[in-house]
mmCIF file of all heavy atoms in Angstrom:
data_model
loop_
_atom_site.group_PDB
_atom_site.id
_atom_site.type_symbol
_atom_site.label_atom_id
_atom_site.label_comp_id
_atom_site.label_asym_id
_atom_site.label_seq_id
_atom_site.Cartn_x
_atom_site.Cartn_y
_atom_site.Cartn_z
ATOM 1 N N SER B 39 -99.470 177.220 290.403
ATOM 2 C CA SER B 39 -99.030 178.643 290.238
ATOM 3 C C SER B 39 -99.683 179.350 289.091
ATOM 4 O O SER B 39 -99.943 180.512 289.141
ATOM 5 C CB SER B 39 -97.526 178.612 290.075
ATOM 6 O OG SER B 39 -97.124 177.859 289.004
ATOM 7 N N ILE B 40 -99.936 178.656 288.017
ATOM 8 C CA ILE B 40 -100.553 179.258 286.807
ATOM 9 C C ILE B 40 -101.990 179.584 287.191
ATOM 10 O O ILE B 40 -102.447 180.723 286.869
ATOM 11 C CB ILE B 40 -100.502 178.311 285.609
ATOM 12 C CG1 ILE B 40 -99.024 178.169 285.151
ATOM 13 C CG2 ILE B 40 -101.423 178.810 284.443
ATOM 14 C CD1 ILE B 40 -98.840 177.303 283.939
ATOM 15 N N ASP B 41 -102.735 178.726 287.880
ATOM 16 C CA ASP B 41 -104.134 179.014 288.288
ATOM 17 C C ASP B 41 -104.118 180.308 289.110
ATOM 18 O O ASP B 41 -104.989 181.167 288.990
ATOM 19 C CB ASP B 41 -104.726 177.938 289.130
ATOM 20 C CG ASP B 41 -104.941 176.643 288.337
ATOM 21 O OD1 ASP B 41 -105.538 176.794 287.245
ATOM 22 O OD2 ASP B 41 -104.700 175.612 288.812
ATOM 23 N N LEU B 42 -103.148 180.373 290.051
ATOM 24 C CA LEU B 42 -103.160 181.591 290.965
ATOM 25 C C LEU B 42 -102.903 182.887 290.244
ATOM 26 O O LEU B 42 -103.570 183.919 290.456
ATOM 27 C CB LEU B 42 -102.060 181.375 292.016
ATOM 28 C CG LEU B 42 -102.335 180.215 293.054
ATOM 29 C CD1 LEU B 42 -101.157 180.010 293.996
ATOM 30 C CD2 LEU B 42 -103.622 180.543 293.880
ATOM 31 N N VAL B 43 -101.946 182.804 289.233
ATOM 32 C CA VAL B 43 -101.760 184.159 288.500
ATOM 33 C C VAL B 43 -102.950 184.456 287.673
ATOM 34 O O VAL B 43 -103.451 185.618 287.627
ATOM 35 C CB VAL B 43 -100.475 184.038 287.604
ATOM 36 C CG1 VAL B 43 -100.232 185.298 286.885
ATOM 37 C CG2 VAL B 43 -99.190 183.743 288.350
ATOM 38 N N GLU B 44 -103.563 183.455 287.084
ATOM 39 C CA GLU B 44 -104.774 183.659 286.269
ATOM 40 C C GLU B 44 -105.867 184.252 287.088
ATOM 41 O O GLU B 44 -106.551 185.217 286.704
ATOM 42 C CB GLU B 44 -105.275 182.394 285.686
ATOM 43 C CG GLU B 44 -104.593 181.930 284.421
ATOM 44 C CD GLU B 44 -105.057 180.633 283.758
ATOM 45 O OE1 GLU B 44 -105.690 179.874 284.451
ATOM 46 O OE2 GLU B 44 -104.829 180.438 282.599
ATOM 47 N N PHE B 45 -105.995 183.734 288.355
ATOM 48 C CA PHE B 45 -107.055 184.224 289.257
ATOM 49 C C PHE B 45 -106.793 185.635 289.650
ATOM 50 O O PHE B 45 -107.729 186.522 289.626
ATOM 51 C CB PHE B 45 -107.162 183.348 290.540
ATOM 52 C CG PHE B 45 -108.075 183.784 291.602
ATOM 53 C CD1 PHE B 45 -109.449 183.862 291.300
ATOM 54 C CD2 PHE B 45 -107.639 184.182 292.826
ATOM 55 C CE1 PHE B 45 -110.342 184.359 292.277
ATOM 56 C CE2 PHE B 45 -108.530 184.693 293.780
ATOM 57 C CZ PHE B 45 -109.805 184.750 293.493
ATOM 58 N N VAL B 46 -105.590 185.982 289.950
ATOM 59 C CA VAL B 46 -105.191 187.404 290.325
ATOM 60 C C VAL B 46 -105.598 188.298 289.148
ATOM 61 O O VAL B 46 -106.118 189.401 289.412
ATOM 62 C CB VAL B 46 -103.708 187.521 290.767
ATOM 63 C CG1 VAL B 46 -103.296 188.928 290.827
ATOM 64 C CG2 VAL B 46 -103.514 186.812 292.093
ATOM 65 N N LEU B 47 -105.264 187.979 287.935
ATOM 66 C CA LEU B 47 -105.566 188.747 286.762
ATOM 67 C C LEU B 47 -107.097 188.890 286.580
ATOM 68 O O LEU B 47 -107.520 189.957 286.225
ATOM 69 C CB LEU B 47 -104.959 188.155 285.502
ATOM 70 C CG LEU B 47 -103.397 188.170 285.461
ATOM 71 C CD1 LEU B 47 -102.872 187.465 284.242
ATOM 72 C CD2 LEU B 47 -102.792 189.606 285.425
ATOM 73 N N GLU B 48 -107.748 187.802 286.874
ATOM 74 C CA GLU B 48 -109.213 187.921 286.798
ATOM 75 C C GLU B 48 -109.841 188.808 287.804
ATOM 76 O O GLU B 48 -110.767 189.613 287.545
ATOM 77 C CB GLU B 48 -109.866 186.516 286.853
ATOM 78 C CG GLU B 48 -109.698 185.690 285.607
ATOM 79 C CD GLU B 48 -110.094 184.182 285.779
ATOM 80 O OE1 GLU B 48 -110.965 183.911 286.659
ATOM 81 O OE2 GLU B 48 -109.596 183.378 284.974
ATOM 82 N N LEU B 49 -109.243 188.737 288.952
ATOM 83 C CA LEU B 49 -109.744 189.723 290.105
ATOM 84 C C LEU B 49 -109.470 191.125 289.680
ATOM 85 O O LEU B 49 -110.329 191.977 289.798
ATOM 86 C CB LEU B 49 -108.836 189.470 291.356
ATOM 87 C CG LEU B 49 -109.228 188.334 292.269
ATOM 88 C CD1 LEU B 49 -108.392 188.339 293.482
ATOM 89 C CD2 LEU B 49 -110.727 188.407 292.728
ATOM 90 N N GLU B 50 -108.303 191.404 289.084
ATOM 91 C CA GLU B 50 -107.952 192.826 288.619
ATOM 92 C C GLU B 50 -108.948 193.261 287.593
ATOM 93 O O GLU B 50 -109.431 194.409 287.657
ATOM 94 C CB GLU B 50 -106.476 192.842 288.069
ATOM 95 C CG GLU B 50 -105.427 192.653 289.113
ATOM 96 C CD GLU B 50 -103.958 192.882 288.521
ATOM 97 O OE1 GLU B 50 -103.774 192.639 287.276
ATOM 98 O OE2 GLU B 50 -103.122 193.174 289.390
ATOM 99 N N GLU B 51 -109.304 192.434 286.668
ATOM 100 C CA GLU B 51 -110.174 192.802 285.580
ATOM 101 C C GLU B 51 -111.641 192.933 286.176
ATOM 102 O O GLU B 51 -112.262 193.881 285.802
ATOM 103 C CB GLU B 51 -110.183 191.633 284.537
ATOM 104 C CG GLU B 51 -110.686 192.130 283.155
ATOM 105 C CD GLU B 51 -110.262 191.187 282.111
ATOM 106 O OE1 GLU B 51 -109.016 190.973 281.941
ATOM 107 O OE2 GLU B 51 -111.096 190.710 281.471
ATOM 108 N N GLU B 52 -112.069 192.056 287.046
ATOM 109 C CA GLU B 52 -113.433 192.113 287.462
ATOM 110 C C GLU B 52 -113.638 193.321 288.375
ATOM 111 O O GLU B 52 -114.694 193.956 288.245
ATOM 112 C CB GLU B 52 -113.671 190.821 288.294
ATOM 113 C CG GLU B 52 -114.992 190.731 288.927
ATOM 114 C CD GLU B 52 -116.155 190.374 287.950
ATOM 115 O OE1 GLU B 52 -115.912 189.563 287.048
ATOM 116 O OE2 GLU B 52 -117.248 191.019 288.096
ATOM 117 N N PHE B 53 -112.613 193.651 289.206
ATOM 118 C CA PHE B 53 -112.862 194.713 290.211
ATOM 119 C C PHE B 53 -112.065 195.976 289.847
ATOM 120 O O PHE B 53 -112.098 196.959 290.618
ATOM 121 C CB PHE B 53 -112.545 194.208 291.627
ATOM 122 C CG PHE B 53 -113.351 193.142 292.065
ATOM 123 C CD1 PHE B 53 -112.863 191.744 292.001
ATOM 124 C CD2 PHE B 53 -114.660 193.309 292.630
ATOM 125 C CE1 PHE B 53 -113.663 190.770 292.431
ATOM 126 C CE2 PHE B 53 -115.425 192.240 292.964
ATOM 127 C CZ PHE B 53 -114.944 190.942 292.928
#
Side-chain angles (χ1 to χ4, degrees):
Chain B
S39 58
I40 292 181
D41 290 318
L42 291 174
V43 179
E44 279 182 339
F45 175 64
V46 167
L47 294 175
E48 282 170 24
L49 279 182
E50 289 186 335
E51 201 160 304
E52 179 74 41
F53 297 99

